[in-house]
Amino acid sequence: MSTSTYTASGIEFPYEGFTTEHISLEDIAHHLSLINRWCGGTSIPFSVLNHTLYCGEIASSTFCVGPRLFSLVLLHDAHEAYTGDIPSPMRDRVPFITDLQARLDMVIFRKFG
């Protein structure tokens, strides 16, 4: 059984031992643009990227956040580029996924400051 997958840009992404070298902003944006929120359970297509950009718009226009916090808002679901969008009720029942997404967040935040 393989423990890795390939990203849209062709990077081999290992689910164990991944580093900043395995993370690409282009892959994150591309993958999130194709992943629907809530497993597609919406009346119209609504991608994770749509959600991310909407959150960024709210953060900057409503709360006037600075550049660092704005970056964190834009990256808050970046791990889903590698795990998919997993609804909270399911994710909360699979501790491995919660741990994996937390480790991905640390590596992604390290990569992009």
PDB file of all heavy atoms in Angstrom, residues 72-93:
ATOM      1  N   LEU A  72      -2.618  34.104   7.734  1.00  0.00           N
ATOM      2  CA  LEU A  72      -3.110  32.956   8.497  1.00  0.00           C
ATOM      3  C   LEU A  72      -4.550  32.621   8.130  1.00  0.00           C
ATOM      4  O   LEU A  72      -4.915  31.444   8.043  1.00  0.00           O
ATOM      5  CB  LEU A  72      -2.977  33.213  10.000  1.00  0.00           C
ATOM      6  CG  LEU A  72      -1.551  33.260  10.538  1.00  0.00           C
ATOM      7  CD1 LEU A  72      -1.544  33.704  11.998  1.00  0.00           C
ATOM      8  CD2 LEU A  72      -0.862  31.920  10.374  1.00  0.00           C
ATOM      9  N   VAL A  73      -5.356  33.652   7.899  1.00  0.00           N
ATOM     10  CA  VAL A  73      -6.746  33.418   7.478  1.00  0.00           C
ATOM     11  C   VAL A  73      -6.747  32.680   6.138  1.00  0.00           C
ATOM     12  O   VAL A  73      -7.471  31.700   5.960  1.00  0.00           O
ATOM     13  CB  VAL A  73      -7.533  34.745   7.382  1.00  0.00           C
ATOM     14  CG1 VAL A  73      -8.868  34.542   6.679  1.00  0.00           C
ATOM     15  CG2 VAL A  73      -7.743  35.338   8.765  1.00  0.00           C
ATOM     16  N   LEU A  74      -5.917  33.131   5.207  1.00  0.00           N
ATOM     17  CA  LEU A  74      -5.884  32.499   3.884  1.00  0.00           C
ATOM     18  C   LEU A  74      -5.359  31.065   3.939  1.00  0.00           C
ATOM     19  O   LEU A  74      -5.692  30.256   3.080  1.00  0.00           O
ATOM     20  CB  LEU A  74      -5.045  33.328   2.910  1.00  0.00           C
ATOM     21  CG  LEU A  74      -5.640  34.664   2.501  1.00  0.00           C
ATOM     22  CD1 LEU A  74      -4.702  35.371   1.521  1.00  0.00           C
ATOM     23  CD2 LEU A  74      -7.025  34.505   1.879  1.00  0.00           C
ATOM     24  N   LEU A  75      -4.559  30.755   4.946  1.00  0.00           N
ATOM     25  CA  LEU A  75      -3.978  29.416   5.045  1.00  0.00           C
ATOM     26  C   LEU A  75      -4.735  28.500   6.017  1.00  0.00           C
ATOM     27  O   LEU A  75      -4.342  27.353   6.200  1.00  0.00           O
ATOM     28  CB  LEU A  75      -2.513  29.518   5.477  1.00  0.00           C
ATOM     29  CG  LEU A  75      -1.565  30.128   4.458  1.00  0.00           C
ATOM     30  CD1 LEU A  75      -0.194  30.348   5.076  1.00  0.00           C
ATOM     31  CD2 LEU A  75      -1.464  29.245   3.215  1.00  0.00           C
ATOM     32  N   HIS A  76      -5.823  28.977   6.604  1.00  0.00           N
ATOM     33  CA  HIS A  76      -6.457  28.202   7.676  1.00  0.00           C
ATOM     34  C   HIS A  76      -6.979  26.834   7.231  1.00  0.00           C
ATOM     35  O   HIS A  76      -7.087  25.927   8.042  1.00  0.00           O
ATOM     36  CB  HIS A  76      -7.562  29.017   8.379  1.00  0.00           C
ATOM     37  CG  HIS A  76      -8.870  29.039   7.660  1.00  0.00           C
ATOM     38  ND1 HIS A  76      -9.140  29.926   6.636  1.00  0.00           N
ATOM     39  CD2 HIS A  76      -9.977  28.298   7.817  1.00  0.00           C
ATOM     40  CE1 HIS A  76     -10.368  29.725   6.200  1.00  0.00           C
ATOM     41  NE2 HIS A  76     -10.902  28.731   6.896  1.00  0.00           N
ATOM     42  N   ASP A  77      -7.295  26.655   5.989  1.00  0.00           N
ATOM     43  CA  ASP A  77      -7.738  25.350   5.480  1.00  0.00           C
ATOM     44  C   ASP A  77      -6.783  24.780   4.436  1.00  0.00           C
ATOM     45  O   ASP A  77      -7.135  23.851   3.703  1.00  0.00           O
ATOM     46  CB  ASP A  77      -9.139  25.453   4.870  1.00  0.00           C
ATOM     47  CG  ASP A  77     -10.254  25.426   5.902  1.00  0.00           C
ATOM     48  OD1 ASP A  77     -10.025  24.924   7.019  1.00  0.00           O
ATOM     49  OD2 ASP A  77     -11.359  25.909   5.589  1.00  0.00           O
ATOM     50  N   ALA A  78      -5.566  25.303   4.368  1.00  0.00           N
ATOM     51  CA  ALA A  78      -4.611  24.850   3.350  1.00  0.00           C
ATOM     52  C   ALA A  78      -4.321  23.357   3.458  1.00  0.00           C
ATOM     53  O   ALA A  78      -4.080  22.689   2.445  1.00  0.00           O
ATOM     54  CB  ALA A  78      -3.316  25.656   3.438  1.00  0.00           C
ATOM     55  N   HIS A  79      -4.378  22.811   4.663  1.00  0.00           N
ATOM     56  CA  HIS A  79      -4.137  21.371   4.846  1.00  0.00           C
ATOM     57  C   HIS A  79      -5.134  20.533   4.033  1.00  0.00           C
ATOM     58  O   HIS A  79      -4.823  19.414   3.642  1.00  0.00           O
ATOM     59  CB  HIS A  79      -4.204  20.983   6.333  1.00  0.00           C
ATOM     60  CG  HIS A  79      -5.490  21.331   6.983  1.00  0.00           C
ATOM     61  ND1 HIS A  79      -5.641  22.430   7.792  1.00  0.00           N
ATOM     62  CD2 HIS A  79      -6.709  20.726   6.939  1.00  0.00           C
ATOM     63  CE1 HIS A  79      -6.886  22.486   8.227  1.00  0.00           C
ATOM     64  NE2 HIS A  79      -7.557  21.468   7.725  1.00  0.00           N
ATOM     65  N   GLU A  80      -6.300  21.096   3.746  1.00  0.00           N
ATOM     66  CA  GLU A  80      -7.311  20.353   3.002  1.00  0.00           C
ATOM     67  C   GLU A  80      -6.896  20.093   1.558  1.00  0.00           C
ATOM     68  O   GLU A  80      -7.455  19.217   0.899  1.00  0.00           O
ATOM     69  CB  GLU A  80      -8.662  21.054   3.084  1.00  0.00           C
ATOM     70  CG  GLU A  80      -9.217  21.028   4.492  1.00  0.00           C
ATOM     71  CD  GLU A  80     -10.581  21.675   4.632  1.00  0.00           C
ATOM     72  OE1 GLU A  80     -11.220  22.007   3.601  1.00  0.00           O
ATOM     73  OE2 GLU A  80     -11.022  21.841   5.782  1.00  0.00           O
ATOM     74  N   ALA A  81      -5.888  20.813   1.086  1.00  0.00           N
ATOM     75  CA  ALA A  81      -5.350  20.529  -0.247  1.00  0.00           C
ATOM     76  C   ALA A  81      -4.747  19.128  -0.283  1.00  0.00           C
ATOM     77  O   ALA A  81      -4.654  18.513  -1.343  1.00  0.00           O
ATOM     78  CB  ALA A  81      -4.291  21.563  -0.623  1.00  0.00           C
ATOM     79  N   TYR A  82      -4.341  18.619   0.875  1.00  0.00           N
ATOM     80  CA  TYR A  82      -3.697  17.309   0.977  1.00  0.00           C
ATOM     81  C   TYR A  82      -4.592  16.247   1.616  1.00  0.00           C
ATOM     82  O   TYR A  82      -4.340  15.062   1.439  1.00  0.00           O
ATOM     83  CB  TYR A  82      -2.385  17.450   1.760  1.00  0.00           C
ATOM     84  CG  TYR A  82      -1.473  18.454   1.100  1.00  0.00           C
ATOM     85  CD1 TYR A  82      -1.449  19.781   1.518  1.00  0.00           C
ATOM     86  CD2 TYR A  82      -0.677  18.094   0.018  1.00  0.00           C
ATOM     87  CE1 TYR A  82      -0.643  20.715   0.883  1.00  0.00           C
ATOM     88  CE2 TYR A  82       0.126  19.031  -0.624  1.00  0.00           C
ATOM     89  CZ  TYR A  82       0.142  20.335  -0.184  1.00  0.00           C
ATOM     90  OH  TYR A  82       0.926  21.264  -0.822  1.00  0.00           O
ATOM     91  N   THR A  83      -5.635  16.664   2.337  1.00  0.00           N
ATOM     92  CA  THR A  83      -6.516  15.688   2.996  1.00  0.00           C
ATOM     93  C   THR A  83      -7.938  15.706   2.461  1.00  0.00           C
ATOM     94  O   THR A  83      -8.718  14.811   2.766  1.00  0.00           O
ATOM     95  CB  THR A  83      -6.606  15.953   4.514  1.00  0.00           C
ATOM     96  OG1 THR A  83      -7.261  17.208   4.745  1.00  0.00           O
ATOM     97  CG2 THR A  83      -5.237  15.941   5.161  1.00  0.00           C
ATOM     98  N   GLY A  84      -8.288  16.737   1.706  1.00  0.00           N
ATOM     99  CA  GLY A  84      -9.667  16.928   1.307  1.00  0.00           C
ATOM    100  C   GLY A  84     -10.426  17.629   2.432  1.00  0.00           C
ATOM    101  O   GLY A  84      -9.909  17.801   3.536  1.00  0.00           O
ATOM    102  N   ASP A  85     -11.628  18.057   2.132  1.00  0.00           N
ATOM    103  CA  ASP A  85     -12.480  18.695   3.140  1.00  0.00           C
ATOM    104  C   ASP A  85     -13.245  17.595   3.858  1.00  0.00           C
ATOM    105  O   ASP A  85     -14.050  16.900   3.247  1.00  0.00           O
ATOM    106  CB  ASP A  85     -13.448  19.681   2.478  1.00  0.00           C
ATOM    107  CG  ASP A  85     -14.345  20.364   3.491  1.00  0.00           C
ATOM    108  OD1 ASP A  85     -13.806  21.042   4.379  1.00  0.00           O
ATOM    109  OD2 ASP A  85     -15.575  20.206   3.399  1.00  0.00           O
ATOM    110  N   ILE A  86     -12.948  17.437   5.122  1.00  0.00           N
ATOM    111  CA  ILE A  86     -13.593  16.384   5.910  1.00  0.00           C
ATOM    112  C   ILE A  86     -14.518  17.070   6.920  1.00  0.00           C
ATOM    113  O   ILE A  86     -14.049  17.846   7.752  1.00  0.00           O
ATOM    114  CB  ILE A  86     -12.544  15.524   6.640  1.00  0.00           C
ATOM    115  CG1 ILE A  86     -11.572  14.920   5.623  1.00  0.00           C
ATOM    116  CG2 ILE A  86     -13.230  14.433   7.469  1.00  0.00           C
ATOM    117  CD1 ILE A  86     -10.344  14.299   6.241  1.00  0.00           C
ATOM    118  N   PRO A  87     -15.819  16.825   6.846  1.00  0.00           N
ATOM    119  CA  PRO A  87     -16.736  17.467   7.787  1.00  0.00           C
ATOM    120  C   PRO A  87     -16.335  17.183   9.241  1.00  0.00           C
ATOM    121  O   PRO A  87     -15.894  16.081   9.575  1.00  0.00           O
ATOM    122  CB  PRO A  87     -18.089  16.836   7.454  1.00  0.00           C
ATOM    123  CG  PRO A  87     -17.950  16.372   6.034  1.00  0.00           C
ATOM    124  CD  PRO A  87     -16.516  15.953   5.898  1.00  0.00           C
ATOM    125  N   SER A  88     -16.486  18.188  10.086  1.00  0.00           N
ATOM    126  CA  SER A  88     -16.077  18.090  11.496  1.00  0.00           C
ATOM    127  C   SER A  88     -16.611  16.854  12.211  1.00  0.00           C
ATOM    128  O   SER A  88     -15.856  16.211  12.952  1.00  0.00           O
ATOM    129  CB  SER A  88     -16.492  19.344  12.260  1.00  0.00           C
ATOM    130  OG  SER A  88     -15.856  20.462  11.717  1.00  0.00           O
ATOM    131  N   PRO A  89     -17.893  16.479  12.043  1.00  0.00           N
ATOM    132  CA  PRO A  89     -18.374  15.292  12.763  1.00  0.00           C
ATOM    133  C   PRO A  89     -17.570  14.029  12.425  1.00  0.00           C
ATOM    134  O   PRO A  89     -17.343  13.185  13.275  1.00  0.00           O
ATOM    135  CB  PRO A  89     -19.828  15.159  12.319  1.00  0.00           C
ATOM    136  CG  PRO A  89     -20.221  16.543  11.917  1.00  0.00           C
ATOM    137  CD  PRO A  89     -18.979  17.143  11.313  1.00  0.00           C
ATOM    138  N   MET A  90     -17.117  13.914  11.184  1.00  0.00           N
ATOM    139  CA  MET A  90     -16.309  12.764  10.791  1.00  0.00           C
ATOM    140  C   MET A  90     -14.875  12.926  11.289  1.00  0.00           C
ATOM    141  O   MET A  90     -14.297  12.018  11.883  1.00  0.00           O
ATOM    142  CB  MET A  90     -16.322  12.600   9.272  1.00  0.00           C
ATOM    143  CG  MET A  90     -15.333  11.566   8.774  1.00  0.00           C
ATOM    144  SD  MET A  90     -15.669   9.904   9.370  1.00  0.00           S
ATOM    145  CE  MET A  90     -16.749   9.360   8.095  1.00  0.00           C
ATOM    146  N   ARG A  91     -14.314  14.097  11.046  1.00  0.00           N
ATOM    147  CA  ARG A  91     -12.919  14.363  11.429  1.00  0.00           C
ATOM    148  C   ARG A  91     -12.716  14.158  12.933  1.00  0.00           C
ATOM    149  O   ARG A  91     -11.716  13.594  13.359  1.00  0.00           O
ATOM    150  CB  ARG A  91     -12.520  15.774  11.020  1.00  0.00           C
ATOM    151  CG  ARG A  91     -11.059  16.078  11.256  1.00  0.00           C
ATOM    152  CD  ARG A  91     -10.704  17.514  10.945  1.00  0.00           C
ATOM    153  NE  ARG A  91     -11.447  18.395  11.833  1.00  0.00           N
ATOM    154  CZ  ARG A  91     -12.210  19.399  11.417  1.00  0.00           C
ATOM    155  NH1 ARG A  91     -12.353  19.654  10.141  1.00  0.00           N
ATOM    156  NH2 ARG A  91     -12.847  20.156  12.286  1.00  0.00           N
ATOM    157  N   ASP A  92     -13.687  14.584  13.730  1.00  0.00           N
ATOM    158  CA  ASP A  92     -13.571  14.468  15.179  1.00  0.00           C
ATOM    159  C   ASP A  92     -13.571  13.014  15.646  1.00  0.00           C
ATOM    160  O   ASP A  92     -13.157  12.721  16.760  1.00  0.00           O
ATOM    161  CB  ASP A  92     -14.703  15.232  15.867  1.00  0.00           C
ATOM    162  CG  ASP A  92     -14.603  16.733  15.640  1.00  0.00           C
ATOM    163  OD1 ASP A  92     -13.527  17.214  15.207  1.00  0.00           O
ATOM    164  OD2 ASP A  92     -15.609  17.430  15.878  1.00  0.00           O
ATOM    165  N   ARG A  93     -14.042  12.107  14.804  1.00  0.00           N
ATOM    166  CA  ARG A  93     -14.093  10.689  15.160  1.00  0.00           C
ATOM    167  C   ARG A  93     -12.864   9.926  14.663  1.00  0.00           C
ATOM    168  O   ARG A  93     -12.737   8.724  14.919  1.00  0.00           O
ATOM    169  CB  ARG A  93     -15.358  10.049  14.611  1.00  0.00           C
ATOM    170  CG  ARG A  93     -16.584  10.477  15.409  1.00  0.00           C
ATOM    171  CD  ARG A  93     -17.877  10.163  14.700  1.00  0.00           C
ATOM    172  NE  ARG A  93     -19.028  10.499  15.515  1.00  0.00           N
ATOM    173  CZ  ARG A  93     -19.449  11.726  15.756  1.00  0.00           C
ATOM    174  NH1 ARG A  93     -18.804  12.766  15.282  1.00  0.00           N
ATOM    175  NH2 ARG A  93     -20.508  11.945  16.509  1.00  0.00           N
TER     176      ARG A  93
END
